[in-house]
């Protein structure tokens, strides 16, 4: 195996996995609102769904998207609509908390829940960043191995060892926010901030 090319793959994995994107922002948001432990199933689902997408990319998803580029546009639009719905939910929760004015009313106002593992896994199918990452990996690092099975093993290992921990960093950041911004005005503005970040993510997706 070309170690220089593998080092390039690891660098790509870390940079793409640690930078903001729908998965990281959603996991941070979940951790800030529900806590680290409650968000771990979300993290597991993200990694399971992402690696399934990566396997699909190695076995031809990239070629399919190249032949039918409208598929990527549909993914961008679908993912953006999903994130817009989430942004509205966070904004609405912030508004409701602002009206509530007490811890009990705040808890009642926030009716959302953490993602389940299967929901987070399915989200990868409409996550533009995940699709671009997996397709780029499958195309750019094809020279790392002679067969698709070997490439799958290398790619999945790289993302599990170097990519998955990056998501945990975002979850721990969210956990810290939860301790600092647990209720009242702080919780309200946290919800508003997350809604704004999601809307900015939508802009990045649609302008790419």
């Amino acid at each position: 195996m070309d170690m220089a090319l593998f080092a390039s793959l690891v660098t790509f994995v870390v940079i793409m996995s640690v930078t903001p994107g729908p998965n990281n922002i959603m996991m941070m948001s979940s951790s800030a609102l529900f806590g680290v432990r409650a968000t771990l199933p979300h993290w597991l689902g993200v990694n399971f769904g992402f690696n399934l997408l990566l396997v699909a990319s190695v076995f031809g998803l990239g070629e399919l998207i190249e032949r039918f580029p409208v598929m990527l546009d549909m993914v961008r639009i679908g993912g953006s609509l999903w994130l817009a719905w989430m942004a509205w939910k966070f904004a609405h929760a912030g508004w409701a908390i602002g009206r509530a004015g007490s811890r009990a009313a705040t808890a009642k106002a926030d009716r959302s829940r953490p993602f389940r593992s299967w929901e987070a896994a399915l989200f990868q199918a409409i996550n533009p960043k995940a699709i671009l990452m997996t397709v780029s990996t499958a195309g750019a690092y094809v020279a790392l191995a002679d067969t698709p099975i070997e490439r799958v093993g290398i790619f999945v290992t790289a993302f599990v060892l170097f990519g998955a921990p990056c998501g945990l960093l975002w979850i721990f950041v969210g956990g810290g926010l939860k301790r600092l911004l647990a209720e009242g005005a702080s919780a309200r503005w946290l919800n508003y901030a997350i809604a704004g970040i999601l809307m900015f993510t939508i802009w990045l997706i649609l302008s790419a």
Side-chain angles (χ1 to χ4, degrees):
M1 183 172 61
D2 186 333
M3 296 307 297
L5 189 59
F6 180 74
S8 172
L9 170 63
V10 170
T11 302
F12 172 80
V13 168
V14 172
I15 291 174
M16 294 301 292
S17 298
V18 81
T19 50
N23 283 330
N24 287 335
I25 290 173
M26 289 165 65
M27 287 190 292
M28 182 191 70
S29 305
S30 174
S31 183
L33 291 175
F34 309 112
V36 171
R37 182 177 298 180
T39 305
L40 290 179
H42 187 158
W43 174 77
L44 291 172
V46 164
N47 286 282
F48 180 76
F50 179 87
N51 283 293
L52 279 182
L53 196 62
L54 181 57
V55 172
S57 296
V58 172
F59 284 97
L61 179 61
E63 183 178 344
L64 186 63
I65 291 176
E66 185 176 348
R67 182 173 298 183
F68 303 103
V70 69
M71 292 177 60
L72 192 54
D73 293 331
M74 293 172 62
V75 167
R76 284 196 179 101
I77 294 171
S80 296
L81 289 174
W82 179 281
L83 292 176
W85 177 80
M86 288 192 61
W88 179 86
K89 292 286 288 183
F90 280 114
H92 183 267
W95 175 78
I97 290 170
R99 293 186 61 194
S102 70
R103 178 178 293 188
T106 295
K108 184 177 179 181
D110 185 8
R111 300 178 183 275
S112 56
R113 59 165 176 78
F115 264 39
R116 298 185 175 95
S117 292
W118 67 267
E119 292 173 323
L122 286 177
F123 176 70
Q124 304 318 301
I126 60 168
N127 181 352
K129 183 178 180 181
I131 292 176
L132 291 173
M133 285 173 63
T134 55
V135 170
S136 297
T137 300
Y141 297 99
V142 66
L144 274 174
D146 295 329
T147 68
I149 295 295
E150 291 175 320
R151 288 195 294 274
V152 163
I154 293 171
F155 295 161
V156 169
T157 298
F159 275 99
V160 168
L161 293 181
F162 302 101
C166 296
L168 288 176
L169 291 177
W170 285 81
I171 291 176
F172 290 136
V173 169
L177 289 175
K178 180 176 176 61
R179 288 190 292 272
L180 293 172
L181 308 171
E183 58 180 284
S186 296
R188 180 173 78 250
W189 287 109
L190 175 60
N191 276 275
Y192 287 151
I194 293 170
I197 291 171
L198 288 173
M199 293 304 296
F200 178 68
T201 302
I202 292 171
W203 178 78
L204 291 176
I205 290 171
L206 295 179
S207 62

